[in-house]
Amino acid sequence: MPTQIWTVKRLLLWTTDYFTKNDIPNPRLDAEVLLSHLLQISRLQLYLNFDMPVFQEHLTPFRKLITKRIARTPVSYLTNRKEFLSLDFYVDERVLIPRPETEHLVETVLNEDSADVPSRRALDLGTGSGVIAISLALQRPEWDIVATDISEAALAVAEKNAETHTCTERITFLNGTLFEPVKSLSVGGVCNPASFDWILCNPPYVKLAERETLSADVRNHEPEIALFAGDDGLAFIRRLIAEAPDYLAPNGKLIFEIGDTQAEEVCSLLDESQPAYRTYRLLKDYAQKKRIVLASA
């Protein structure tokens, strides 16, 4: 009896069923993304070529992708690709996978500062894959942007993405913790400290005790240093709020993400820091949860 040929449609059906049996979220979507990645065609092209045969040269690596996904390796790490504000970024296990909340953060900055304002200086703390700094550099090419990260490995990913999007010359990448790397930067020939119109950050904010509540995709594969922030999840944010005013220009703004249950505690930290900030407000994400803080010096 001849061996049945694997077509695009048959592969998608089988993979979706297998993912479903193994409790993989979004089984059909994951199957489509992985197969389109392997065949180097769009998901639309998959649907237009349901009857196209898939041969052994692609079946073998596809099985390996399936095995890794069953082990809960995130799809973005398997494809080394994540879309952010309609741009393609390279990602791997050295960096956190960008989330929609971070898109909202960048959009807020762009809306607050229109394209016709004078040049700004922006600092992206904990840049990771570089999506914040690079998105700003592309949308506001006249801005002076500094991006830092404690992880040299993460900075390598960010620099790779900056090269891909041809904006390397517009971003200064620095290695170090929080504001340490920018202490000696000069502004108008004056050193220590640098002054920024915007300080942006997607900080770690997960409590150590919440580790087991995270999905296996996140818990077992994304970098811990970008996720966890002490027993209360506020270790990084607490320092960020306290130290940022020393690095903000007059009327400068601090914007950062928080966990969806941290609004009250973060407001208390901001209240305690007065008069360092003139005003602050909490912004809701696409799920109508308070996830972004915008504070003005």
Side-chain angles (χ1 to χ4, degrees):
M1 181 176 180
T3 303
Q4 186 174 356
I5 295 176
W6 284 97
T7 63
V8 166
K9 182 178 181 180
R10 184 180 174 218
L11 263 181
L12 288 177
L13 290 173
W14 185 90
T15 306
T16 299
D17 182 61
Y18 189 56
F19 281 168
T20 301
K21 290 177 180 177
N22 283 274
D23 298 320
I24 298 297
N26 307 308
R28 177 69 180 204
L29 176 61
D30 285 6
E32 291 178 5
V33 169
L34 291 177
L35 187 56
S36 64
H37 163 72
L38 189 65
L39 297 178
Q40 296 186 326
I41 61 177
S42 68
R43 288 171 57 205
L44 175 60
Q45 288 175 306
L46 289 180
Y47 281 86
L48 296 176
N49 293 278
F50 261 172
D51 296 327
M52 183 178 74
V54 181
F55 299 108
Q56 198 61 46
E57 63 179 302
H58 287 123
L59 289 175
T60 298
F62 189 59
R63 292 190 189 100
K64 292 180 180 179
L65 289 177
I66 292 172
T67 299
K68 290 180 179 179
R69 185 66 189 114
I70 293 299
R72 302 308 289 265
T73 302
V75 170
S76 291
Y77 289 156
L78 295 176
T79 62
N80 295 126
R81 177 182 179 273
K82 182 63 178 179
E83 184 177 295
F84 184 88
L85 290 177
S86 301
L87 299 169
D88 282 336
F89 286 89
Y90 175 90
V91 294
D92 60 28
E93 295 195 12
R94 291 174 288 178
V95 297
L96 197 71
I97 298 171
R99 268 68 166 178
E101 293 80 19
T102 309
E103 291 185 322
H104 191 196
L105 182 148
V106 174
E107 289 171 341
T108 299
V109 173
L110 295 174
N111 290 332
E112 290 279 327
D113 251 327
S114 61
D116 59 354
V117 299
S119 178
R120 298 293 198 192
R121 299 193 79 240
L123 171 62
D124 174 20
L125 286 176
T127 192
S129 59
V131 293
I132 292 176
I134 292 167
S135 298
L136 286 177
L138 295 176
Q139 292 289 331
R140 299 289 188 268
E142 73 281 5
W143 285 23
D144 176 16
I145 299 172
V146 177
T148 72
D149 205 288
I150 190 174
S151 167
E152 291 185 359
L155 282 176
V157 175
E159 290 171 346
K160 174 183 176 72
N161 281 319
E163 290 175 4
T164 298
H165 291 286
T166 62
C167 60
T168 301
E169 294 181 357
R170 292 180 231 156
I171 305 172
T172 301
F173 290 101
L174 299 173
N175 176 233
T177 305
L178 265 170
F179 295 97
E180 192 67 32
V182 302
K183 283 184 177 180
S184 61
L185 285 182
S186 64
V187 181
V190 179
C191 291
N192 195 22
S195 298
F196 296 93
D197 301 293
W198 282 98
I199 295 176
L200 309 91
C201 186
N202 176 18
Y205 50 71
V206 180
K207 298 178 183 179
L208 290 173
E210 294 176 337
R211 176 188 297 272
E212 296 307 313
T213 68
L214 301 176
S215 71
D217 297 41
V218 176
R219 183 177 65 246
N220 298 335
H221 296 280
E222 299 202 56
E224 291 191 2
I225 198 171
L227 292 170
F228 300 104
D231 293 337
D232 63 359
L234 295 171
F236 192 103
I237 290 175
R238 189 174 288 108
R239 289 189 59 190
L240 177 65
I241 291 173
E243 298 177 27
D246 292 336
Y247 299 89
L248 284 169
N251 301 313
K253 295 179 181 179
L254 168 67
I255 185 168
F256 60 96
E257 294 182 42
I258 62 174
D260 59 9
T261 63
Q262 294 177 327
E264 186 174 343
E265 293 171 292
V266 171
C267 285
S268 295
L269 290 173
L270 286 162
D271 290 336
E272 292 169 6
S273 69
Q274 299 303 339
Y277 300 99
R278 291 183 294 107
T279 62
Y280 70 84
R281 66 182 193 269
L282 273 66
L283 309 176
K284 295 180 179 179
D285 63 12
Y286 301 119
Q288 296 304 301
K289 294 182 178 180
K290 294 176 180 178
R291 293 296 307 278
I292 295 173
V293 175
L294 176 59
S296 300

